[in-house]
Amino acid sequence: MKLYRHGAQPEQRGHEGVSETLSPTKEGAAFDGVVKRFDKHIRAHENGMSMGWVKRKFPNAIEYTRMGDGVRGLGFFISCASVLMMGAFCVYGIVTLSEFDIWFGYAGIVMLLGMMVFSVVFIPLFLTRAELFAPEDLPVIFDRKHRRVYQITRYSEPGLKGLFQPWPTVALEYDWDLVDAQVNVQTAVGPNMAKRQHSLWFIVRRSAEDDTPIDAFTLGNPFVLNEGLASAFWEHIRRFMEEGGPHVVRGERLVELGRPETMWEGIKQAAHYKGGGLRQWFRDGSLIPWMVILLFPVFGPMIFLSGIGNYLAYKTSKPVQWPQEVLDAVGEPLAG
């Protein structure tokens, strides 16, 4: 894997998602934008938290994972639902329209055939491709000794010929002093609910003299973070890089990324079942067992198909290896 230095990768020179990431918060039916920008020299939270996402520790660096147990497989479920539900709807519509006036019936049949191709072919292909043969992880390393940030990412998707080929990945290096952190929020407001998702974003500037954003990446699970947790997460990174803080907060463990070896293990991961029987499953604090029991016709098949997709995603995933330049810079990983 090739390592691109700060600003050297062609697609870094004008990342298309940066402008949206920097947008100020918009008030209205849906809030979307920046809610907080951080200063590396100012404390953002009383307590720093690594959130259990530290993958490995090095003498003067920490590696975060951007993958978690059971997070894969949802695309496989949506693909199956699209094929079954939309396919059945389109077939029913075609049979029904065939009984109408010839011109009206033909026009409707053509429209439904287009919908069926889109929902039965293109949606499953796109979503399945997003999960199968993907990198095993897309980690990020913060190196305080050299004041560098490294990430492994995928920028472009292969065409149809590469549908069942490994995703192309690249390693990128950033100057820590040219990386700014912020909390973004997305809020969708419905008739009887409002759902907010917070995410921690890192914006990369071109140089000390040029503040033009050239890249952006996110870290952490937006389904877990809120504004306070995102601030505590950033504070842990800030203290580590700026003040010689600990690799992990006392009492927090390194992340454990379990690979399902069987399809049944993949289903248990999707259901967040960690063993110990049904009673322990409910005690673990997840809402998933309650949703499965109370809304089984919906969540039962969803967990089952997502679990199968989770297993297939891990089975076809490809391990990633940092370039030797990065490994030489951070040294050997520490135990524990």
Side-chain angles (χ1 to χ4, degrees):
M1 184 185 301
K2 185 174 181 180
L3 174 66
Y4 290 91
R5 303 296 180 180
H6 189 108
Q9 212 274 347
E11 296 190 47
Q12 269 189 291
R13 298 173 186 171
H15 196 276
E16 60 183 6
V18 174
S19 58
E20 296 181 2
T21 304
L22 292 170
S23 301
T25 306
K26 299 177 182 179
E27 302 290 336
F31 310 109
D32 188 5
V34 182
V35 293
K36 182 182 290 186
R37 289 189 171 93
F38 298 111
D39 187 322
K40 293 187 180 74
H41 307 292
I42 298 177
R43 178 176 294 185
H45 198 275
E46 286 297 317
N47 303 304
M49 298 177 63
S50 59
M51 302 294 295
W53 293 326
V54 174
K55 183 178 180 180
R56 290 190 296 178
K57 301 184 296 181
F58 301 91
N60 284 290
I62 48 177
E63 180 182 17
Y64 282 96
T65 181
R66 286 195 283 185
M67 298 292 178
D69 289 344
V71 299
R72 301 183 181 186
L74 186 59
F76 183 80
F77 162 72
I78 297 175
S79 299
C80 293
S82 176
V83 170
L84 295 175
M85 298 176 65
M86 292 300 297
F89 170 77
C90 291
V91 170
Y92 174 78
I94 291 172
V95 172
T96 303
L97 287 173
S98 63
E99 303 175 0
F100 283 81
D101 176 80
I102 184 169
W103 293 109
F104 177 77
Y106 281 169
I109 288 173
V110 169
M111 183 180 69
L112 286 174
L113 283 173
M115 289 178 58
M116 186 162 66
V117 171
F118 181 75
S119 59
V120 174
V121 178
F122 288 103
I123 290 180
L125 276 178
F126 175 78
L127 293 176
T128 303
R129 177 69 186 107
E131 292 191 330
L132 298 185
F133 301 93
E136 187 178 54
D137 196 359
L138 296 172
V140 177
I141 288 180
F142 292 89
D143 178 2
R144 65 185 174 195
K145 180 179 180 181
H146 302 96
R147 297 186 69 79
R148 292 290 184 267
V149 181
Y150 304 97
Q151 73 152 328
I152 293 178
T153 188
R154 54 188 186 189
Y155 267 118
S156 57
E157 304 175 9
L160 290 178
K161 292 182 179 179
L163 189 62
F164 298 105
Q165 299 296 322
W167 284 89
T169 54
V170 295
L172 304 175
E173 177 192 83
Y174 308 117
D175 185 337
W176 166 252
D177 294 317
L178 298 176
V179 177
D180 302 314
Q182 64 187 41
V183 177
N184 281 30
V185 65
Q186 288 183 324
T187 306
V189 180
N192 298 310
M193 62 168 290
K195 182 176 179 59
R196 307 192 77 180
Q197 286 186 359
H198 293 79
S199 53
L200 180 62
W201 278 88
F202 295 85
I203 312 301
V204 183
R205 291 178 279 124
R206 187 183 302 279
S207 66
E209 296 76 26
D210 186 352
D211 289 341
T212 303
I214 61 170
D215 209 346
F217 64 94
T218 186
L219 191 59
N221 187 345
F223 294 102
V224 174
L225 294 176
N226 54 36
E227 187 173 337
L229 288 176
S231 298
F233 184 32
W234 158 251
E235 179 62 18
H236 175 259
I237 298 172
R238 187 196 71 81
R239 290 184 189 180
F240 178 82
M241 294 294 289
E242 295 291 330
E243 301 176 0
H247 294 77
V248 295
V249 178
R250 180 179 299 178
E252 292 189 0
R253 302 170 57 185
L254 298 181
V255 66
E256 297 179 3
L257 296 177
R259 292 178 59 92
E261 298 299 327
T262 65
M263 194 170 294
W264 179 239
E265 288 183 6
I267 295 172
K268 289 194 292 185
Q269 267 193 0
H272 292 259
Y273 177 77
K274 301 177 182 179
L278 288 176
R279 183 175 298 180
Q280 186 60 43
W281 188 30
F282 281 89
R283 286 179 178 175
D284 284 338
S286 172
L287 292 176
I288 290 181
W290 295 103
M291 292 189 295
V292 171
I293 297 299
L294 298 177
L295 300 171
F296 182 80
V298 175
F299 285 97
M302 179 179 175
I303 295 297
F304 178 74
L305 292 174
S306 296
I308 294 175
N310 182 44
Y311 167 75
L312 294 175
Y314 276 103
K315 276 299 179 184
T316 59
S317 66
K318 303 299 179 182
V320 295
Q321 180 67 36
W322 287 102
Q324 192 59 45
E325 301 99 305
V326 177
L327 298 177
D328 291 341
V330 300
E332 293 294 325
L334 302 176

mmCIF file with all atom_site columns, all heavy atoms in Angstrom, residues 241-259:
data_model
loop_
_atom_site.group_PDB
_atom_site.id
_atom_site.type_symbol
_atom_site.label_atom_id
_atom_site.label_alt_id
_atom_site.label_comp_id
_atom_site.label_asym_id
_atom_site.label_entity_id
_atom_site.label_seq_id
_atom_site.pdbx_PDB_ins_code
_atom_site.Cartn_x
_atom_site.Cartn_y
_atom_site.Cartn_z
_atom_site.occupancy
_atom_site.B_iso_or_equiv
_atom_site.pdbx_formal_charge
_atom_site.auth_seq_id
_atom_site.auth_comp_id
_atom_site.auth_asym_id
_atom_site.auth_atom_id
_atom_site.pdbx_PDB_model_num
ATOM 1   N N   . MET A 1 241 ? -1.986  13.947  22.278 1.00 0.00 ? 241 MET A N   1
ATOM 2   C CA  . MET A 1 241 ? -1.097  14.589  21.305 1.00 0.00 ? 241 MET A CA  1
ATOM 3   C C   . MET A 1 241 ? -0.409  15.827  21.858 1.00 0.00 ? 241 MET A C   1
ATOM 4   O O   . MET A 1 241 ? 0.750   16.096  21.529 1.00 0.00 ? 241 MET A O   1
ATOM 5   C CB  . MET A 1 241 ? -1.891  14.954  20.045 1.00 0.00 ? 241 MET A CB  1
ATOM 6   C CG  . MET A 1 241 ? -2.410  13.768  19.257 1.00 0.00 ? 241 MET A CG  1
ATOM 7   S SD  . MET A 1 241 ? -1.094  12.768  18.511 1.00 0.00 ? 241 MET A SD  1
ATOM 8   C CE  . MET A 1 241 ? -0.522  13.861  17.215 1.00 0.00 ? 241 MET A CE  1
ATOM 9   N N   . GLU A 1 242 ? -1.083  16.596  22.698 1.00 0.00 ? 242 GLU A N   1
ATOM 10  C CA  . GLU A 1 242 ? -0.557  17.899  23.124 1.00 0.00 ? 242 GLU A CA  1
ATOM 11  C C   . GLU A 1 242 ? 0.059   17.888  24.522 1.00 0.00 ? 242 GLU A C   1
ATOM 12  O O   . GLU A 1 242 ? 0.940   18.702  24.812 1.00 0.00 ? 242 GLU A O   1
ATOM 13  C CB  . GLU A 1 242 ? -1.680  18.949  23.085 1.00 0.00 ? 242 GLU A CB  1
ATOM 14  C CG  . GLU A 1 242 ? -2.210  19.246  21.703 1.00 0.00 ? 242 GLU A CG  1
ATOM 15  C CD  . GLU A 1 242 ? -1.197  19.977  20.835 1.00 0.00 ? 242 GLU A CD  1
ATOM 16  O OE1 . GLU A 1 242 ? -0.372  20.740  21.398 1.00 0.00 ? 242 GLU A OE1 1
ATOM 17  O OE2 . GLU A 1 242 ? -1.208  19.786  19.607 1.00 0.00 ? 242 GLU A OE2 1
ATOM 18  N N   . GLU A 1 243 ? -0.393  16.981  25.381 1.00 0.00 ? 243 GLU A N   1
ATOM 19  C CA  . GLU A 1 243 ? 0.033   17.030  26.778 1.00 0.00 ? 243 GLU A CA  1
ATOM 20  C C   . GLU A 1 243 ? 0.647   15.724  27.265 1.00 0.00 ? 243 GLU A C   1
ATOM 21  O O   . GLU A 1 243 ? 0.838   15.544  28.475 1.00 0.00 ? 243 GLU A O   1
ATOM 22  C CB  . GLU A 1 243 ? -1.159  17.413  27.663 1.00 0.00 ? 243 GLU A CB  1
ATOM 23  C CG  . GLU A 1 243 ? -1.778  18.759  27.302 1.00 0.00 ? 243 GLU A CG  1
ATOM 24  C CD  . GLU A 1 243 ? -3.020  19.073  28.122 1.00 0.00 ? 243 GLU A CD  1
ATOM 25  O OE1 . GLU A 1 243 ? -3.386  18.218  28.981 1.00 0.00 ? 243 GLU A OE1 1
ATOM 26  O OE2 . GLU A 1 243 ? -3.629  20.133  27.894 1.00 0.00 ? 243 GLU A OE2 1
ATOM 27  N N   . GLY A 1 244 ? 0.922   14.801  26.363 1.00 0.00 ? 244 GLY A N   1
ATOM 28  C CA  . GLY A 1 244 ? 1.492   13.526  26.782 1.00 0.00 ? 244 GLY A CA  1
ATOM 29  C C   . GLY A 1 244 ? 0.535   12.674  27.577 1.00 0.00 ? 244 GLY A C   1
ATOM 30  O O   . GLY A 1 244 ? 0.954   11.933  28.479 1.00 0.00 ? 244 GLY A O   1
ATOM 31  N N   . GLY A 1 245 ? -0.744  12.751  27.269 1.00 0.00 ? 245 GLY A N   1
ATOM 32  C CA  . GLY A 1 245 ? -1.757  12.000  27.993 1.00 0.00 ? 245 GLY A CA  1
ATOM 33  C C   . GLY A 1 245 ? -1.654  10.505  27.772 1.00 0.00 ? 245 GLY A C   1
ATOM 34  O O   . GLY A 1 245 ? -0.883  10.020  26.927 1.00 0.00 ? 245 GLY A O   1
ATOM 35  N N   . PRO A 1 246 ? -2.431  9.725   28.518 1.00 0.00 ? 246 PRO A N   1
ATOM 36  C CA  . PRO A 1 246 ? -2.356  8.256   28.433 1.00 0.00 ? 246 PRO A CA  1
ATOM 37  C C   . PRO A 1 246 ? -2.917  7.731   27.120 1.00 0.00 ? 246 PRO A C   1
ATOM 38  O O   . PRO A 1 246 ? -3.719  8.392   26.449 1.00 0.00 ? 246 PRO A O   1
ATOM 39  C CB  . PRO A 1 246 ? -3.214  7.794   29.621 1.00 0.00 ? 246 PRO A CB  1
ATOM 40  C CG  . PRO A 1 246 ? -4.196  8.904   29.819 1.00 0.00 ? 246 PRO A CG  1
ATOM 41  C CD  . PRO A 1 246 ? -3.458  10.174  29.503 1.00 0.00 ? 246 PRO A CD  1
ATOM 42  N N   . HIS A 1 247 ? -2.489  6.514   26.771 1.00 0.00 ? 247 HIS A N   1
ATOM 43  C CA  . HIS A 1 247 ? -3.010  5.880   25.559 1.00 0.00 ? 247 HIS A CA  1
ATOM 44  C C   . HIS A 1 247 ? -4.500  5.593   25.696 1.00 0.00 ? 247 HIS A C   1
ATOM 45  O O   . HIS A 1 247 ? -5.269  5.804   24.756 1.00 0.00 ? 247 HIS A O   1
ATOM 46  C CB  . HIS A 1 247 ? -2.265  4.572   25.277 1.00 0.00 ? 247 HIS A CB  1
ATOM 47  C CG  . HIS A 1 247 ? -0.817  4.768   24.923 1.00 0.00 ? 247 HIS A CG  1
ATOM 48  N ND1 . HIS A 1 247 ? 0.144   5.040   25.873 1.00 0.00 ? 247 HIS A ND1 1
ATOM 49  C CD2 . HIS A 1 247 ? -0.179  4.729   23.717 1.00 0.00 ? 247 HIS A CD2 1
ATOM 50  C CE1 . HIS A 1 247 ? 1.324   5.146   25.261 1.00 0.00 ? 247 HIS A CE1 1
ATOM 51  N NE2 . HIS A 1 247 ? 1.154   4.957   23.958 1.00 0.00 ? 247 HIS A NE2 1
ATOM 52  N N   . VAL A 1 248 ? -4.896  5.077   26.815 1.00 0.00 ? 248 VAL A N   1
ATOM 53  C CA  . VAL A 1 248 ? -6.307  4.833   27.116 1.00 0.00 ? 248 VAL A CA  1
ATOM 54  C C   . VAL A 1 248 ? -6.578  5.324   28.529 1.00 0.00 ? 248 VAL A C   1
ATOM 55  O O   . VAL A 1 248 ? -5.679  5.370   29.375 1.00 0.00 ? 248 VAL A O   1
ATOM 56  C CB  . VAL A 1 248 ? -6.695  3.339   26.992 1.00 0.00 ? 248 VAL A CB  1
ATOM 57  C CG1 . VAL A 1 248 ? -6.574  2.865   25.570 1.00 0.00 ? 248 VAL A CG1 1
ATOM 58  C CG2 . VAL A 1 248 ? -5.843  2.477   27.911 1.00 0.00 ? 248 VAL A CG2 1
ATOM 59  N N   . VAL A 1 249 ? -7.801  5.698   28.783 1.00 0.00 ? 249 VAL A N   1
ATOM 60  C CA  . VAL A 1 249 ? -8.191  6.135   30.118 1.00 0.00 ? 249 VAL A CA  1
ATOM 61  C C   . VAL A 1 249 ? -8.191  4.931   31.050 1.00 0.00 ? 249 VAL A C   1
ATOM 62  O O   . VAL A 1 249 ? -8.549  3.817   30.648 1.00 0.00 ? 249 VAL A O   1
ATOM 63  C CB  . VAL A 1 249 ? -9.584  6.789   30.071 1.00 0.00 ? 249 VAL A CB  1
ATOM 64  C CG1 . VAL A 1 249 ? -10.026 7.219   31.460 1.00 0.00 ? 249 VAL A CG1 1
ATOM 65  C CG2 . VAL A 1 249 ? -9.562  7.991   29.128 1.00 0.00 ? 249 VAL A CG2 1
ATOM 66  N N   . ARG A 1 250 ? -7.771  5.155   32.283 1.00 0.00 ? 250 ARG A N   1
ATOM 67  C CA  . ARG A 1 250 ? -7.708  4.058   33.247 1.00 0.00 ? 250 ARG A CA  1
ATOM 68  C C   . ARG A 1 250 ? -9.070  3.366   33.351 1.00 0.00 ? 250 ARG A C   1
ATOM 69  O O   . ARG A 1 250 ? -10.108 4.000   33.514 1.00 0.00 ? 250 ARG A O   1
ATOM 70  C CB  . ARG A 1 250 ? -7.296  4.598   34.619 1.00 0.00 ? 250 ARG A CB  1
ATOM 71  C CG  . ARG A 1 250 ? -7.209  3.522   35.698 1.00 0.00 ? 250 ARG A CG  1
ATOM 72  C CD  . ARG A 1 250 ? -6.765  4.106   37.023 1.00 0.00 ? 250 ARG A CD  1
ATOM 73  N NE  . ARG A 1 250 ? -5.433  4.705   36.913 1.00 0.00 ? 250 ARG A NE  1
ATOM 74  C CZ  . ARG A 1 250 ? -4.834  5.323   37.926 1.00 0.00 ? 250 ARG A CZ  1
ATOM 75  N NH1 . ARG A 1 250 ? -5.450  5.430   39.095 1.00 0.00 ? 250 ARG A NH1 1
ATOM 76  N NH2 . ARG A 1 250 ? -3.623  5.843   37.757 1.00 0.00 ? 250 ARG A NH2 1
ATOM 77  N N   . GLY A 1 251 ? -9.035  2.075   33.255 1.00 0.00 ? 251 GLY A N   1
ATOM 78  C CA  . GLY A 1 251 ? -10.264 1.280   33.333 1.00 0.00 ? 251 GLY A CA  1
ATOM 79  C C   . GLY A 1 251 ? -10.837 0.918   31.977 1.00 0.00 ? 251 GLY A C   1
ATOM 80  O O   . GLY A 1 251 ? -11.656 -0.003  31.881 1.00 0.00 ? 251 GLY A O   1
ATOM 81  N N   . GLU A 1 252 ? -10.434 1.635   30.927 1.00 0.00 ? 252 GLU A N   1
ATOM 82  C CA  . GLU A 1 252 ? -10.919 1.313   29.587 1.00 0.00 ? 252 GLU A CA  1
ATOM 83  C C   . GLU A 1 252 ? -10.010 0.278   28.933 1.00 0.00 ? 252 GLU A C   1
ATOM 84  O O   . GLU A 1 252 ? -8.796  0.293   29.126 1.00 0.00 ? 252 GLU A O   1
ATOM 85  C CB  . GLU A 1 252 ? -10.988 2.573   28.720 1.00 0.00 ? 252 GLU A CB  1
ATOM 86  C CG  . GLU A 1 252 ? -12.054 3.553   29.170 1.00 0.00 ? 252 GLU A CG  1
ATOM 87  C CD  . GLU A 1 252 ? -12.246 4.687   28.172 1.00 0.00 ? 252 GLU A CD  1
ATOM 88  O OE1 . GLU A 1 252 ? -11.549 4.702   27.138 1.00 0.00 ? 252 GLU A OE1 1
ATOM 89  O OE2 . GLU A 1 252 ? -13.076 5.564   28.440 1.00 0.00 ? 252 GLU A OE2 1
ATOM 90  N N   . ARG A 1 253 ? -10.604 -0.600  28.163 1.00 0.00 ? 253 ARG A N   1
ATOM 91  C CA  . ARG A 1 253 ? -9.872  -1.683  27.519 1.00 0.00 ? 253 ARG A CA  1
ATOM 92  C C   . ARG A 1 253 ? -9.691  -1.390  26.035 1.00 0.00 ? 253 ARG A C   1
ATOM 93  O O   . ARG A 1 253 ? -10.395 -0.570  25.450 1.00 0.00 ? 253 ARG A O   1
ATOM 94  C CB  . ARG A 1 253 ? -10.633 -2.999  27.698 1.00 0.00 ? 253 ARG A CB  1
ATOM 95  C CG  . ARG A 1 253 ? -10.871 -3.382  29.151 1.00 0.00 ? 253 ARG A CG  1
ATOM 96  C CD  . ARG A 1 253 ? -11.832 -4.540  29.267 1.00 0.00 ? 253 ARG A CD  1
ATOM 97  N NE  . ARG A 1 253 ? -11.384 -5.713  28.517 1.00 0.00 ? 253 ARG A NE  1
ATOM 98  C CZ  . ARG A 1 253 ? -12.116 -6.817  28.393 1.00 0.00 ? 253 ARG A CZ  1
ATOM 99  N NH1 . ARG A 1 253 ? -13.332 -6.886  28.931 1.00 0.00 ? 253 ARG A NH1 1
ATOM 100 N NH2 . ARG A 1 253 ? -11.637 -7.845  27.704 1.00 0.00 ? 253 ARG A NH2 1
ATOM 101 N N   . LEU A 1 254 ? -8.737  -2.091  25.435 1.00 0.00 ? 254 LEU A N   1
ATOM 102 C CA  . LEU A 1 254 ? -8.587  -2.002  23.995 1.00 0.00 ? 254 LEU A CA  1
ATOM 103 C C   . LEU A 1 254 ? -9.784  -2.671  23.320 1.00 0.00 ? 254 LEU A C   1
ATOM 104 O O   . LEU A 1 254 ? -10.402 -3.590  23.864 1.00 0.00 ? 254 LEU A O   1
ATOM 105 C CB  . LEU A 1 254 ? -7.294  -2.686  23.542 1.00 0.00 ? 254 LEU A CB  1
ATOM 106 C CG  . LEU A 1 254 ? -5.978  -2.097  24.068 1.00 0.00 ? 254 LEU A CG  1
ATOM 107 C CD1 . LEU A 1 254 ? -4.799  -2.874  23.498 1.00 0.00 ? 254 LEU A CD1 1
ATOM 108 C CD2 . LEU A 1 254 ? -5.848  -0.622  23.737 1.00 0.00 ? 254 LEU A CD2 1
ATOM 109 N N   . VAL A 1 255 ? -10.107 -2.188  22.139 1.00 0.00 ? 255 VAL A N   1
ATOM 110 C CA  . VAL A 1 255 ? -11.264 -2.728  21.429 1.00 0.00 ? 255 VAL A CA  1
ATOM 111 C C   . VAL A 1 255 ? -10.995 -4.182  21.038 1.00 0.00 ? 255 VAL A C   1
ATOM 112 O O   . VAL A 1 255 ? -9.864  -4.564  20.725 1.00 0.00 ? 255 VAL A O   1
ATOM 113 C CB  . VAL A 1 255 ? -11.568 -1.876  20.178 1.00 0.00 ? 255 VAL A CB  1
ATOM 114 C CG1 . VAL A 1 255 ? -10.453 -1.986  19.156 1.00 0.00 ? 255 VAL A CG1 1
ATOM 115 C CG2 . VAL A 1 255 ? -12.896 -2.290  19.556 1.00 0.00 ? 255 VAL A CG2 1
ATOM 116 N N   . GLU A 1 256 ? -12.031 -4.984  21.090 1.00 0.00 ? 256 GLU A N   1
ATOM 117 C CA  . GLU A 1 256 ? -11.952 -6.378  20.675 1.00 0.00 ? 256 GLU A CA  1
ATOM 118 C C   . GLU A 1 256 ? -12.816 -6.556  19.427 1.00 0.00 ? 256 GLU A C   1
ATOM 119 O O   . GLU A 1 256 ? -14.033 -6.446  19.485 1.00 0.00 ? 256 GLU A O   1
ATOM 120 C CB  . GLU A 1 256 ? -12.432 -7.307  21.791 1.00 0.00 ? 256 GLU A CB  1
ATOM 121 C CG  . GLU A 1 256 ? -11.580 -7.228  23.050 1.00 0.00 ? 256 GLU A CG  1
ATOM 122 C CD  . GLU A 1 256 ? -12.096 -8.132  24.157 1.00 0.00 ? 256 GLU A CD  1
ATOM 123 O OE1 . GLU A 1 256 ? -13.091 -8.851  23.882 1.00 0.00 ? 256 GLU A OE1 1
ATOM 124 O OE2 . GLU A 1 256 ? -11.535 -8.115  25.259 1.00 0.00 ? 256 GLU A OE2 1
ATOM 125 N N   . LEU A 1 257 ? -12.159 -6.800  18.312 1.00 0.00 ? 257 LEU A N   1
ATOM 126 C CA  . LEU A 1 257 ? -12.869 -6.974  17.048 1.00 0.00 ? 257 LEU A CA  1
ATOM 127 C C   . LEU A 1 257 ? -12.969 -8.455  16.723 1.00 0.00 ? 257 LEU A C   1
ATOM 128 O O   . LEU A 1 257 ? -12.046 -9.049  16.179 1.00 0.00 ? 257 LEU A O   1
ATOM 129 C CB  . LEU A 1 257 ? -12.140 -6.225  15.925 1.00 0.00 ? 257 LEU A CB  1
ATOM 130 C CG  . LEU A 1 257 ? -12.067 -4.705  16.069 1.00 0.00 ? 257 LEU A CG  1
ATOM 131 C CD1 . LEU A 1 257 ? -11.263 -4.102  14.931 1.00 0.00 ? 257 LEU A CD1 1
ATOM 132 C CD2 . LEU A 1 257 ? -13.470 -4.101  16.098 1.00 0.00 ? 257 LEU A CD2 1
ATOM 133 N N   . GLY A 1 258 ? -14.068 -9.041  17.092 1.00 0.00 ? 258 GLY A N   1
ATOM 134 C CA  . GLY A 1 258 ? -14.255 -10.467 16.848 1.00 0.00 ? 258 GLY A CA  1
ATOM 135 C C   . GLY A 1 258 ? -14.760 -10.732 15.435 1.00 0.00 ? 258 GLY A C   1
ATOM 136 O O   . GLY A 1 258 ? -15.713 -10.098 14.972 1.00 0.00 ? 258 GLY A O   1
ATOM 137 N N   . ARG A 1 259 ? -14.114 -11.652 14.754 1.00 0.00 ? 259 ARG A N   1
ATOM 138 C CA  . ARG A 1 259 ? -14.558 -12.064 13.423 1.00 0.00 ? 259 ARG A CA  1
ATOM 139 C C   . ARG A 1 259 ? -15.450 -13.296 13.558 1.00 0.00 ? 259 ARG A C   1
ATOM 140 O O   . ARG A 1 259 ? -15.032 -14.304 14.127 1.00 0.00 ? 259 ARG A O   1
ATOM 141 C CB  . ARG A 1 259 ? -13.362 -12.405 12.534 1.00 0.00 ? 259 ARG A CB  1
ATOM 142 C CG  . ARG A 1 259 ? -12.500 -11.212 12.157 1.00 0.00 ? 259 ARG A CG  1
ATOM 143 C CD  . ARG A 1 259 ? -11.313 -11.679 11.327 1.00 0.00 ? 259 ARG A CD  1
ATOM 144 N NE  . ARG A 1 259 ? -11.745 -12.361 10.119 1.00 0.00 ? 259 ARG A NE  1
ATOM 145 C CZ  . ARG A 1 259 ? -11.934 -11.747 8.944  1.00 0.00 ? 259 ARG A CZ  1
ATOM 146 N NH1 . ARG A 1 259 ? -11.706 -10.456 8.848  1.00 0.00 ? 259 ARG A NH1 1
ATOM 147 N NH2 . ARG A 1 259 ? -12.326 -12.426 7.893  1.00 0.00 ? 259 ARG A NH2 1
#
